[in-house]
Amino acid sequence: MRRYRIFDTGVICMTEQLAESARQRALDIYRVVDSLPESAYNDIAYLASVLCDTPIALVSLIDRDRQWFKASQGFSETGTRRDEAFCNHAIETPLDMMEVRDARDDSRFDSNPLVTGEHSIRFYAGMPLVTEAGAAIGTVCVLDKQPRELNETQRAGLQALARLTMSLLDARLHERELERMMLLAEAAPAEPVVSEPAPQRFTVAIFQVQDMAGAARLLGERVLERHLQDLNQRLHEALMSYPDHSVNRTSHSEEFIAVLHGDDTVEAFNSLCGHTAAFEASTGLRVLYGSAAANEPSERLEVVFLRADEALSQVKDAMAY
């Protein structure tokens, strides 16, 4: 019997790990964590604060080991540790609002530093942000330093703001996907004529500058944009000796997509990495990358891109844990 119990516990842990991996992957796809401030999300936090009559409101995203705020009202920090986040508990029930009348009377939070420390949080209400596939990636939430409860109108309003936030995130995702499809279509190899040799495989690499929001606070958005333009130039210079390859930056973003044609792309890839390392050394900005090679020449570029994107997520996983 004991062996069965241990086995069952292991299966449960593995299932939870897989579920968390899928949830984190869903968040990564949106490309929103550490993104630059946007007025639409700031407006949502402001409306949540006014609607619920609370001094604090947040658009919170639960990343690997932290809670990061896309927008905040009445809270100066940009995030917290994940194990201290009320929202980390809220996402456990994606379809339900979590409401804590008095955190000091709740065993989950009575020793939480956000409750016992200088913030003295007592009240919390959060509605999860849920993707169409059912992954809870964060919340729209409100907090107060006094115990209280929301009324039904406030609860309904907070739910509506969470739906609105997801609509904004989905629209942003759809726009990026369309642009990516256009970039990949331009980078696709031309159809060979009959007399030409069989097409070769290809590799897709994604280079992504990290912590855009933090860099913008430190450097200013104009200086940050100049750095990103510099990286774009460096990556193009890295491929000057390889006319069949291409690299493109997605519009005004932190991401660069390289498509390298041929069965042997190691030299070109190393050139990109070398120029990236020089950029990191000169700016102090960090660039992560993930890559994937096509299994066969006819494999769709978009499919290979998604594998490269999963590789990028795995790099971030390794850094967090």
Side-chain angles (χ1 to χ4, degrees):
M1 289 296 294
R2 185 178 181 183
R3 286 199 300 272
Y4 289 121
R5 285 200 296 269
I6 293 174
F7 176 77
D8 288 344
T9 301
V11 169
I12 291 171
C13 290
M14 181 63 71
T15 301
E16 290 175 348
Q17 290 172 359
L18 291 173
E20 171 57 22
S21 177
R23 189 205 68 81
Q24 181 63 56
R25 177 74 185 128
L27 176 59
D28 285 348
I29 287 173
Y30 278 91
R31 298 292 200 269
V32 63
V33 173
D34 287 328
S35 61
L36 296 177
E38 297 175 69
S39 59
Y41 298 95
N42 293 333
D43 289 345
I44 287 173
Y46 171 76
L47 289 172
S49 175
V50 172
L51 170 70
C52 297
D53 192 26
T54 58
I56 301 171
L58 308 166
V59 177
S60 166
L61 298 164
I62 300 299
D63 200 17
R64 290 168 172 81
D65 56 357
R66 58 177 173 150
Q67 169 183 229
W68 182 77
F69 305 141
K70 175 60 179 172
S72 63
Q73 179 75 24
F75 201 80
S76 58
E77 283 83 349
T78 59
T80 72
R81 287 173 24 181
R82 181 171 177 175
D83 59 3
E84 295 176 354
F86 284 72
C87 297
N88 191 42
H89 294 267
I91 64 171
E92 293 176 359
T93 54
L95 301 181
D96 301 319
M97 181 180 298
M98 188 180 90
E99 189 169 346
V100 179
R101 182 185 181 279
D102 189 342
R104 289 189 179 276
D105 294 334
D106 191 313
S107 60
R108 295 172 296 177
F109 308 112
D110 56 3
S111 60
N112 188 308
L114 296 176
V115 176
T116 61
E118 61 178 319
H119 294 295
S120 301
I121 300 300
R122 302 288 291 275
F123 169 77
Y124 170 90
M127 186 64 202
L129 301 171
V130 184
T131 70
E132 289 186 2
I137 59 175
T139 74
V140 175
C141 65
V142 292
L143 303 97
D144 202 338
K145 297 185 177 184
Q146 302 296 327
R148 54 170 302 168
E149 293 180 2
L150 298 183
N151 60 42
E152 289 304 317
T153 299
Q154 290 169 328
R155 292 188 185 102
L158 199 59
Q159 290 170 335
L161 289 173
R163 291 193 297 270
L164 176 58
T165 302
M166 277 311 306
S167 294
L168 289 171
L169 290 171
D170 286 335
R172 169 202 188 99
L173 176 61
H174 182 61
E175 182 178 335
R176 290 183 70 113
E177 286 178 336
L178 286 176
E179 180 183 11
R180 185 178 74 229
M181 290 174 62
M182 292 177 62
L183 292 177
L184 292 177
E186 293 174 0
E191 290 293 330
V193 297
V194 175
S195 60
E196 290 183 343
Q200 296 177 309
R201 289 182 171 83
F202 58 90
T203 296
V204 176
I206 305 168
F207 294 82
Q208 189 181 86
V209 177
Q210 301 301 291
D211 194 13
M212 290 279 283
R217 287 192 300 273
L218 181 65
L219 303 172
E221 291 190 25
R222 290 185 179 180
V223 173
L224 175 59
E225 176 58 27
R226 287 200 294 270
H227 284 326
L228 293 170
Q229 291 173 3
D230 174 49
L231 177 58
N232 188 46
Q233 181 177 343
R234 288 173 185 257
L235 293 178
H236 278 88
E237 289 174 355
L239 297 182
M240 285 183 64
S241 301
Y242 310 94
D244 293 336
H245 306 329
S246 65
V247 61
N248 290 285
R249 178 187 176 191
T250 55
S251 295
H252 307 292
S253 82
E254 75 290 359
E255 189 166 281
F256 303 79
I257 303 171
V259 180
L260 312 177
H261 297 284
D263 292 329
D264 184 3
T265 59
V266 173
E267 187 175 321
F269 182 73
N270 287 341
S271 179
L272 288 169
C273 292
H275 281 69
T276 299
F279 169 81
E280 290 181 317
S282 65
T283 64
L285 298 174
R286 188 166 197 174
V287 183
L288 300 182
Y289 55 84
S291 66
N295 293 320
E296 55 186 26
S298 61
E299 190 171 17
R300 290 174 51 230
L301 264 169
E302 179 73 12
V303 174
V304 182
F305 172 89
L306 291 175
R307 290 211 310 273
D309 198 34
E310 289 176 359
L312 179 59
S313 288
Q314 291 169 5
V315 170
K316 294 177 181 179
D317 289 343
M319 290 179 58
Y321 302 110

